[in-house]
Amino acid sequence: MATRCLRYGSLAFLVAQDTALVLLMRYSRSHATGEMYLASTAVCCMEVLKLCVCVGMLYAGEARGSISGLVNVFRREFLEKPSEVLRLAVPSFLYLLQNNLLYFALSNLRATPYKVTYNLKILTSALFSVTMLGQKLSKRKWLSLIALFVGVTVVQSDNHKSDSDAPHPETGLGYQTLGFLAVVAAAFTSGFCGVYQQKILQAGKTNMWVRNAQMGLTSVCLGVVSTIVKDRQAIQERGFFQGYTRLVWTVIIIQAVGGLNVAFILKYADNILKGFAAAFSTVASCVLEMAIMHFRPTATFLLGGALINVAAYCYNTPGRKDGNKLPR
Ligand code: C5P
């Protein structure tokens, strides 16, 4: 009974967190009344927040509430394991890129087309699981992945038809097309990082908070560098926290909590739950965006979205030949 409650409770939490994040992030990027905040600084703050939580958990757990214990953990897990920290710099860098891409995407796409397209990460995760982990997929899963791809293509072609897409001055591509490409790129980094971590986690027994603190430290350093490279001038002129409102801080906190939740799921690996949560939260985002933000999907869009959700459902439901070891 307790396991059941935990399972459904965590499913509800995942759905609520994912839905709230995408709607609030979109709102913060499209309805700013004053100055627009810099996405690079928001990602940086989110990484700092996650690192603080990880260090706090290490202080309370491994270090047993002592500063010298924490210093020892730092020495043991960071200074004496440079190769491990370096290996984790790969997902740290890619997640940083992914989080920036997601801000860019939600600056140019509505929440629902974004969510629907981001389901592509099921496909990319499967492809990386096959190539990097040598996993075999059943016919049912391959068919689900093809249906998923078709669904995304339908949604995307509808997106092109239904909205005016102003061209970006440098690339000549429409802003929505660029937003779409950013989500596709993010789906690739998400798929790769998930599988990469699965590979690392399967190989070792490092504490989840240590692992995330190792990643977090690199992410914060890379985040600061990327902020300087991308937005130095704007920061010098108007400050690091320009445009920050309570809404922006809420987005940052929800994203940090969501990130740690993903880390938890990757460690305790209930991929089925994660896949269902993504599909549920796509539907929830669509309904809420229609109700609150005047989103009016076309019939083609709904058809493509439904196909994607059915594909995600079929992919994540174990068939007779799949057993329990599902790729992420
Ligand atoms: O599932 P998806 O790839 O979309 O989610 C990735 C998110 O989870 C990113 O924001 C990433 O920063 C975060 N994450 C994390 N720690 C991990 C794995 C993912 O903070 N160990």
Side-chain angles (χ1 to χ4, degrees):
M1 184 65 189
T3 322
R4 230 176 127 90
C5 284
L6 207 66
R7 192 179 170 84
Y8 288 111
S10 59
L11 175 66
F13 178 76
L14 258 176
V15 174
Q17 179 274 325
D18 212 19
T19 310
L21 176 65
V22 72
L23 289 174
L24 292 178
M25 196 188 272
R26 167 67 188 169
Y27 194 83
S28 73
R29 298 307 280 173
S30 60
H31 286 72
T33 42
E35 200 169 22
M36 176 55 76
Y37 66 99
L38 300 170
S40 64
T41 62
V43 172
C44 207
C45 288
M46 191 267 294
E47 293 298 349
V48 170
L49 198 61
K50 278 195 303 194
L51 180 60
C52 290
V53 173
C54 291
V55 172
M57 294 304 286
L58 287 178
Y59 176 76
E62 292 245 324
R64 295 178 197 282
S66 105
I67 294 289
S68 60
L70 195 60
V71 172
N72 280 339
V73 172
F74 182 76
R75 194 178 303 130
R76 194 181 66 226
E77 301 293 345
F78 291 79
L79 302 183
E80 289 172 11
K81 292 183 183 166
S83 62
E84 199 160 309
V85 175
L86 210 64
R87 263 194 311 164
L88 286 168
V90 176
S92 295
F93 170 73
L94 291 175
Y95 275 139
L96 189 78
L97 181 69
Q98 176 178 323
N99 289 325
N100 276 288
L101 284 170
L102 296 184
Y103 269 99
F104 177 80
L106 276 169
S107 306
N108 297 296
L109 289 179
R110 275 181 170 275
T112 309
Y114 157 89
K115 279 260 16 127
V116 165
T117 310
Y118 198 34
N119 275 310
L120 267 183
K121 68 182 174 183
I122 298 175
L123 175 68
T124 57
S125 300
L127 294 181
F128 285 118
S129 296
V130 169
T131 51
M132 287 167 63
L133 300 179
Q135 281 185 347
K136 294 226 175 331
L137 302 185
S138 63
K139 218 186 279 174
R140 172 200 179 96
K141 282 192 185 295
W142 281 116
L143 286 175
S144 307
L145 293 176
I146 292 169
L148 183 88
F149 186 74
V150 172
V152 171
T153 312
V154 169
V155 164
Q156 185 44 27
S157 64
D158 180 62
N159 207 28
H160 271 308
K161 266 191 297 174
S162 59
D163 286 306
S164 57
D165 195 6
H168 182 268
E170 280 164 32
T171 60
L173 292 171
Y175 278 96
Q176 284 180 26
T177 307
L178 287 175
F180 172 75
L181 291 176
V183 189
V184 173
F188 271 92
T189 56
S190 170
F192 175 81
C193 291
V195 173
Y196 185 92
Q197 285 181 88
Q198 219 172 313
K199 205 169 169 161
I200 289 186
L201 290 176
Q202 277 167 3
K205 285 210 170 353
T206 309
N207 173 312
M208 176 189 134
W209 299 110
V210 169
R211 181 79 74 200
N212 277 283
Q214 288 171 329
M215 274 178 73
L217 201 65
T218 323
S219 301
V220 170
C221 297
L222 291 173
V224 171
V225 173
S226 79
T227 305
I228 294 171
V229 170
K230 217 171 131 221
D231 293 313
R232 188 174 50 185
Q233 203 179 346
I235 293 170
Q236 275 171 347
E237 283 166 12
R238 294 184 299 281
F240 188 90
F241 294 108
Q242 58 188 277
Y244 272 53
T245 57
R246 247 179 287 172
L247 174 65
V248 177
W249 282 113
T250 309
V251 169
I252 290 171
I253 292 168
I254 296 180
Q255 198 180 19
V257 172
L260 292 172
N261 197 24
V262 169
F264 185 84
I265 291 166
L266 283 175
K267 171 80 181 169
Y268 298 102
D270 197 337
N271 295 319
I272 301 174
L273 195 71
K274 191 168 182 287
F276 282 139
F280 276 140
S281 110
T282 306
V283 175
S285 307
C286 182
V287 172
L288 285 173
E289 200 177 22
M290 281 165 73
I292 306 168
M293 292 158 86
H294 311 294
F295 175 55
R296 296 285 168 265
T298 63
T300 317
F301 181 94
L302 288 177
L303 194 75
L307 186 57
I308 291 168
N309 275 292
V310 171
Y313 178 83
C314 292
Y315 182 84
N316 286 300
T317 312
R320 262 179 298 135
K321 291 187 191 154
D322 291 323
N324 288 324
K325 286 199 120 193
L326 300 171
R328 186 174 166 247

